[in-house]
Amino acid sequence: MKITPFELELYEKLSSFFTESGFVLLAEKKQFRKVTNLGFQNVIFSLSDYGNEVWLEVNFGLRHHEIEKIAQQFLGNAEEYRADANTLVISIGKFN
């Protein structure tokens, strides 16, 4: 995926906060991710460019490896994406 200058600046500004909390930037996946014993937690950023403004959507996600190992066999996800599948994703708006 192409990373825009806006995204690079956003990741740079947020990097120290997330690094202090144990997250690693995965810019190509547009997220900060923290590996856990059971899977991972992530904060995912989606940008929509509307010319004179940019909308930023923020989602929290988590993955539980054992649940995904069972679930992925019944889903149509391509094999190469299965390791990155989230078990739960919720927008920051719904979370609030």
Side-chain angles (χ1 to χ4, degrees):
M1 285 185 187
K2 183 181 173 206
I3 300 171
T4 67
F6 180 88
E7 288 171 302
L8 288 174
E9 185 177 347
L10 174 68
Y11 299 151
E12 183 181 305
K13 289 181 186 277
L14 295 174
S15 187
S16 63
F17 169 79
F18 281 104
T19 301
E20 289 172 11
S21 298
F23 286 79
V24 174
L25 173 61
L26 301 176
E28 71 282 358
K29 296 179 181 175
K30 301 181 184 265
Q31 63 183 259
F32 285 92
R33 184 181 289 184
K34 180 179 182 177
V35 175
T36 67
N37 290 336
L38 299 175
F40 60 75
Q41 301 170 358
N42 55 0
V43 180
I44 309 159
F45 300 92
S46 300
L47 290 164
S48 299
D49 189 352
Y50 294 103
N52 61 345
E53 64 185 23
V54 176
W55 287 30
L56 175 65
E57 182 179 353
V58 180
N59 288 283
F60 299 133
L62 65 88
R63 175 190 174 87
H64 189 289
H65 287 314
E66 295 304 315
I67 292 172
E68 288 304 313
K69 192 185 305 181
I70 295 167
Q72 288 298 318
Q73 63 186 320
F74 301 107
L75 301 173
N77 295 340
E79 189 82 29
E80 63 268 20
Y81 298 117
R82 290 182 178 182
D84 290 315
N86 282 282
T87 306
L88 175 68
V89 177
I90 187 168
S91 73
I92 193 168
K94 287 182 182 176
F95 181 77
N96 284 330

